Amino acid sequence: MASFKRDVRILLVGDEKVGKTSLILSLVSEEFAEEVPSRAEEITIPADVTPEHVPTCIVDYSGQDQDENCLQDEIRKCSVVCIVYSVVDEDSIQRLTTYWLPYLRFTLGEDHRTPVILVGNKVDMTDIQTLESILPIMNDFAEVETCVECSAKTLKNISEVFYYAQKAVLHPTAPVYNPDEKELTLPARQALARIFRICDLDNDNLLSDDEINMFQLKCFNAPLHPQALEDVKAIVKKNVPDGIIKDGVTLKGFLFLNTLFIQKGRHETTWTVLRKFGYEDTLQLSQEYIAPKVNVGLGCTTELTAQGYQFLARLFDKYDEDRDGCLSPTELQNLFSTCPIMPWGPDVNNTVSTNVEGWVTMEGYLAQWTLTTLLDVTRAVEFLAYLGYNYQHENQLSAIHITREKKIDLDKRQTARNVFRCHVLGAKSVGKTALLQGLLQRNLRYVATLNRQNLSNFTINTVQVYGQDKYLMLHEVDMMMCEMLTPTELDCDVACLVYDVTNPRSFEFCARMYLKHFIDCKIPTLIVASKAEYPEVRQDYELTPAQFCSRFKLPPPQRFTCIDKVNHDVYIKLATMAAYPNLKRLVHMLLVHQRPLWLEERLRHIKGLFQSGSHSYVHAGIGLAVAALVGVAIYKVATSSSSSSPSALRR
């Protein structure tokens, strides 16, 4: 596995004549040098000859050739410090605690995380073991990873010195294990508990044999042999009473195994697991893991792919424990238990579909993820990592689809996009909230019960456009901001301008917003007459809403009511206009009941081509027929509602 570390830089320090340079030369030449320079040149060991496959640089320090500034620079640059002492020189042993270890803290800070290896050289000159006298030092200085006794002369443990130095960098003990308490650190337990929950695919709080083997494949590229798996479970069962339940490994058993690996010096096993799940040495998820770069071009949008939806749907099913098709507050908390924070607030219940108790349904859950992906793809990608998407896929990018530029869609006169954004603008109290909540099939009586503090400026739901489900997202633009909106802030697929049929001053706001923001852009615009269950009053504006729409070639005002049953037609029209912006003029002509002569002539021409059997025109004829049929379809949708327009709007 590739480590997060790109290289390892080992610095050797210590008193004069303890054998620092001899250790380096013995490692390189595999023989003891009788004549030793005051300092060895910097040596780089290629990645392919190191156990961890990481390039390693070895740096020697000499008090004869270098000053204190140089020493401090090298200490700050290195990944690990090897303090060499002579096992036959009591003074050099004492200097570990009286000079070298305090000096490292002075240079790097009292709480520095640079690991330290104590290297006792010249064991060939004595039979006395010094490790017992070194153990108290390891207890007093947490940065000391280990102590190794060796001999540059006999080459004893020379390679081990540099192996442990490299290991201290790549698989440090301090972040994951507390030697005093002989247990995992709290951050390590939290990280491993998160990994356990991700790997527990059926949410039964146990790792079955299949789940363990999937975990092994992910982390170590090979499943456990059946007998080896049984041996592991036997060890857990022997040491942890409730470590095995129903032949599955519990969280306690899983944590025990990782503790055991560290206690037996196999730190790399636990670190391999942690790094496969994105953890750095600080036991924080790396930015590379949670935030791979998503390049979204100008005019492009972001949607979830089929893989993204499948993962999220499986996650919903995993935590929907009572199988009622909804997530209760507890189930929702459990679903996000692998995340550092709860990403959804109480406003989510007013943004997407819920059941009568206000619990998010599967449809609402997927819609909320669709909304997040559209508005804040970085956040969506980050939480996919927290939830374990990377356990089943290489990274989160396979869950994200970047649509092509909208300008190309307009030029090609077709789009493959599935999510459309609609800005809703209107004066105060014209019914914008009712319009937004109506998208979720909620009537006026339901809206009256809502907690206004938890209202969202967004709602999102699926709408059928010619038999295909598309997501329509409504965004209520703050009235106070409408006058100051920039073209970027106004970027959307369709605009909805709402006025209240009972308020004679409400349409003037819509007219002003259209003339200010939308008259010269290609954004399709629909004017909606809300509260249409009441008689319409004359608007205090120079044109009636119908006259205004006719003058500026807009569809006629669409009546909306949700006092009892929600008029869903308005959402279909908005989604259709967003999906077919290139047919803006055609939509206008058909919505006002004009059967354009060119359409009639085009249909007659196509009919003639096919009757004549002219092969050279067949391809062109098919394309024209498709365009004509789309026009007829829009005509049918349009005429089904425009007949309901009040007579006052057709003067």
Side-chain angles (χ1 to χ4, degrees):
M1 179 199 71
S3 169
F4 285 101
K5 296 289 184 182
R6 297 290 180 256
D7 53 41
V8 174
R9 188 175 179 86
I10 303 172
L11 173 65
L12 273 68
V13 300
D15 295 341
E16 291 186 26
K17 307 298 183 182
V18 293
K20 303 185 296 296
T21 305
S22 295
L23 286 173
I24 297 173
L25 297 179
S26 293
L27 174 73
V28 175
S29 64
E30 297 185 347
E31 62 181 13
F32 180 66
E34 294 293 344
E35 294 186 8
V36 180
S38 60
R39 176 172 169 266
E41 293 295 323
E42 188 174 305
I43 295 169
T44 299
I45 302 174
D48 56 359
V49 297
T50 64
E52 297 290 343
H53 304 291
V54 174
T56 300
C57 183
I58 301 174
V59 181
D60 192 9
Y61 167 73
S62 170
Q64 297 177 20
D65 297 351
Q66 296 166 292
D67 60 19
E68 188 170 342
N69 289 333
C70 183
L71 173 60
Q72 291 185 349
D73 287 343
E74 289 294 350
I75 289 172
R76 293 189 185 99
K77 287 193 297 183
C78 72
S79 312
V80 56
V81 179
C82 290
I83 305 178
V84 184
Y85 65 94
S86 170
V87 297
V88 295
D89 183 349
E90 187 63 30
D91 288 342
S92 73
I93 297 175
Q94 292 295 326
R95 292 253 299 168
L96 293 175
T97 55
T98 61
Y99 179 75
W100 285 109
L101 286 166
Y103 187 81
L104 292 181
R105 288 187 174 183
F106 169 76
T107 305
L108 299 172
E110 287 292 323
D111 299 322
H112 76 86
R113 290 184 168 271
T114 302
V116 176
I117 307 294
L118 302 182
V119 181
N121 191 25
K122 304 185 181 181
V123 294
D124 58 287
M125 298 176 65
T126 180
D127 294 329
I128 301 173
Q129 290 278 335
T130 63
L131 287 179
E132 287 190 9
S133 62
I134 298 299
L135 286 177
I137 300 176
M138 296 178 66
N139 292 332
D140 293 340
F141 292 85
E143 60 266 38
V144 177
E145 284 280 327
T146 191
C147 177
V148 185
E149 290 191 337
C150 63
S151 169
K153 188 169 186 177
T154 64
L155 308 185
K156 180 181 179 180
N157 289 343
I158 295 297
S159 59
E160 282 78 1
V161 168
F162 296 96
Y163 168 72
Y164 282 115
Q166 189 182 60
K167 185 176 177 180
V169 177
L170 302 178
H171 314 301
T173 302
V176 294
Y177 188 71
N178 188 325
D180 293 335
E181 299 177 7
K182 294 183 171 53
E183 63 179 27
L184 296 170
T185 62
L186 178 60
R189 291 200 303 272
Q190 291 172 335
L192 290 167
R194 172 181 169 270
I195 291 169
F196 179 91
R197 287 193 291 272
I198 288 172
C199 297
D200 177 18
L201 299 177
D202 57 7
N203 198 33
D204 64 352
N205 296 313
L206 300 170
L207 293 185
S208 66
D209 289 359
D210 288 341
E211 288 168 340
I212 289 173
N213 276 318
M214 183 173 175
F215 166 80
Q216 284 286 128
L217 281 169
K218 171 70 175 180
C219 296
F220 305 103
N221 301 316
L224 275 176
H225 188 276
Q227 185 57 52
L229 180 55
E230 290 304 315
D231 293 344
V232 166
K233 289 195 286 188
I235 292 171
V236 174
K237 194 170 187 178
K238 180 180 177 181
N239 290 276
V240 185
D242 50 355
I244 302 292
I245 295 177
K246 297 179 182 178
D247 204 37
V249 179
T250 65
L251 175 58
K252 283 186 177 180
F254 184 69
L255 294 177
F256 164 76
L257 282 173
N258 282 281
T259 306
L260 188 64
F261 290 141
I262 294 171
Q263 289 173 342
K264 291 186 174 296
R266 292 174 55 189
H267 302 62
E268 65 274 13
T269 302
T270 296
W271 274 112
T272 297
V273 171
L274 290 167
R275 290 198 170 113
K276 278 291 184 180
F277 283 84
Y279 288 96
E280 295 183 308
D281 290 354
T282 58
L283 292 182
Q284 299 294 316
L285 290 172
S286 72
Q287 282 299 112
E288 181 183 357
Y289 188 84
I290 63 175
K293 193 170 176 89
V294 182
N295 295 311
V296 183
L298 188 66
C300 303
T301 59
T302 44
E303 302 178 0
L304 287 166
T305 63
Q307 280 183 311
Y309 280 118
Q310 287 166 5
F311 168 79
L312 292 167
R314 285 196 298 266
L315 199 67
F316 184 100
D317 289 336
K318 173 180 175 178
Y319 287 97
D320 180 18
E321 295 182 23
D322 54 9
R323 300 290 182 264
D324 64 348
C326 304
L327 292 178
S328 68
T330 299
E331 289 171 340
L332 197 61
Q333 287 284 348
N334 291 339
L335 187 148
F336 287 114
S337 63
T338 59
C339 305
I341 60 171
M342 178 70 177
W344 297 354
D347 61 334
V348 71
N349 295 350
N350 298 321
T351 305
V352 298
S353 298
T354 63
N355 68 358
V356 292
E357 295 174 288
W359 299 355
V360 176
T361 63
M362 169 73 92
E363 293 76 15
Y365 164 84
L366 294 177
Q368 178 66 23
W369 278 109
T370 302
L371 176 71
T372 305
T373 305
L374 177 68
L375 298 181
D376 191 350
V377 68
T378 301
R379 184 174 176 83
V381 165
E382 179 180 346
F383 275 88
L384 283 171
Y386 293 143
L387 293 168
Y389 184 87
N390 303 33
Y391 181 51
Q392 301 173 38
H393 303 88
E394 183 177 350
N395 60 44
Q396 309 96 293
L397 297 184
S398 62
I400 305 299
H401 169 64
I402 301 172
T403 67
R404 70 184 181 186
E405 189 180 348
K406 191 192 298 186
K407 182 181 177 182
I408 299 175
D409 281 351
L410 290 170
D411 291 342
K412 299 282 187 181
R413 300 192 174 187
Q414 60 181 353
T415 182
R417 292 163 62 205
N418 294 300
V419 186
F420 299 107
R421 181 171 186 165
C422 172
H423 281 332
V424 179
L425 291 81
K428 187 177 181 181
S429 302
V430 296
K432 299 187 295 294
T433 298
L435 181 70
L436 263 69
Q437 292 297 312
L439 181 61
L440 308 179
Q441 300 290 355
R442 295 169 176 173
N443 61 25
L444 201 58
R445 284 195 294 271
Y446 183 96
V447 173
T449 67
L450 293 177
N451 182 344
R452 295 280 162 172
Q453 291 182 335
N454 295 333
L455 275 180
S456 168
N457 290 329
F458 299 91
T459 56
I460 184 169
N461 207 351
T462 53
V463 175
Q464 282 222 333
V465 178
Y466 300 127
Q468 291 187 324
D469 280 340
K470 304 289 184 180
Y471 278 104
L472 177 65
M473 185 270 283
L474 301 182
H475 173 207
E476 180 184 341
V477 180
D478 187 275
M479 178 186 168
M480 302 301 294
M481 298 294 295
C482 286
E483 300 285 357
M484 301 177 288
L485 290 173
T486 66
T488 301
E489 291 169 328
L490 270 171
D491 185 35
C492 59
D493 301 298
V494 61
C496 178
L497 303 178
V498 186
Y499 75 97
D500 176 357
V501 300
T502 69
N503 182 349
R505 298 183 179 179
S506 62
F507 179 71
E508 186 273 337
F509 181 89
C510 295
R512 192 170 75 251
M513 288 301 100
Y514 179 79
L515 296 174
K516 181 178 179 65
H517 296 303
F518 300 106
I519 189 171
D520 293 325
C521 71
K522 294 184 178 180
I523 298 173
T525 304
L526 184 68
I527 291 178
V528 171
S530 73
K531 305 182 185 180
E533 65 273 12
Y534 297 107
E536 180 159 2
V537 300
R538 184 173 183 83
Q539 294 292 319
D540 294 341
Y541 191 72
E542 60 191 48
L543 299 173
T544 68
Q547 290 169 344
F548 184 89
C549 291
S550 178
R551 173 171 294 186
F552 294 103
K553 296 182 172 55
L554 296 174
Q558 300 299 298
R559 295 173 63 80
F560 175 76
T561 179
C562 64
I563 193 167
D564 186 20
K565 185 179 179 181
V566 178
N567 174 16
H568 202 65
D569 287 349
V570 66
Y571 307 113
I572 297 174
K573 291 178 178 62
L574 288 169
T576 303
M577 292 168 71
Y580 297 98
N582 56 294
L583 299 178
K584 182 178 177 182
R585 177 174 170 78
L586 176 61
V587 169
H588 161 72
M589 296 168 68
L590 295 176
L591 283 173
V592 295
H593 283 204
Q594 294 176 358
R595 185 73 175 230
L597 292 176
W598 66 263
L599 182 57
E600 297 283 6
E601 293 172 359
R602 186 67 54 87
L603 289 169
R604 285 197 297 272
H605 181 60
I606 293 168
K607 183 178 179 181
L609 287 175
F610 280 95
Q611 287 176 342
S612 67
S614 174
H615 295 292
S616 61
Y617 293 104
V618 167
H619 181 72
I622 292 174
L624 296 173
V626 170
L629 289 173
V630 169
V632 171
I634 295 175
Y635 177 81
K636 289 179 179 178
V637 171
T639 55
S640 69
S641 62
S642 59
S643 59
S644 64
S645 301
S647 57
L649 299 182
R650 293 200 296 268
R651 284 202 299 264

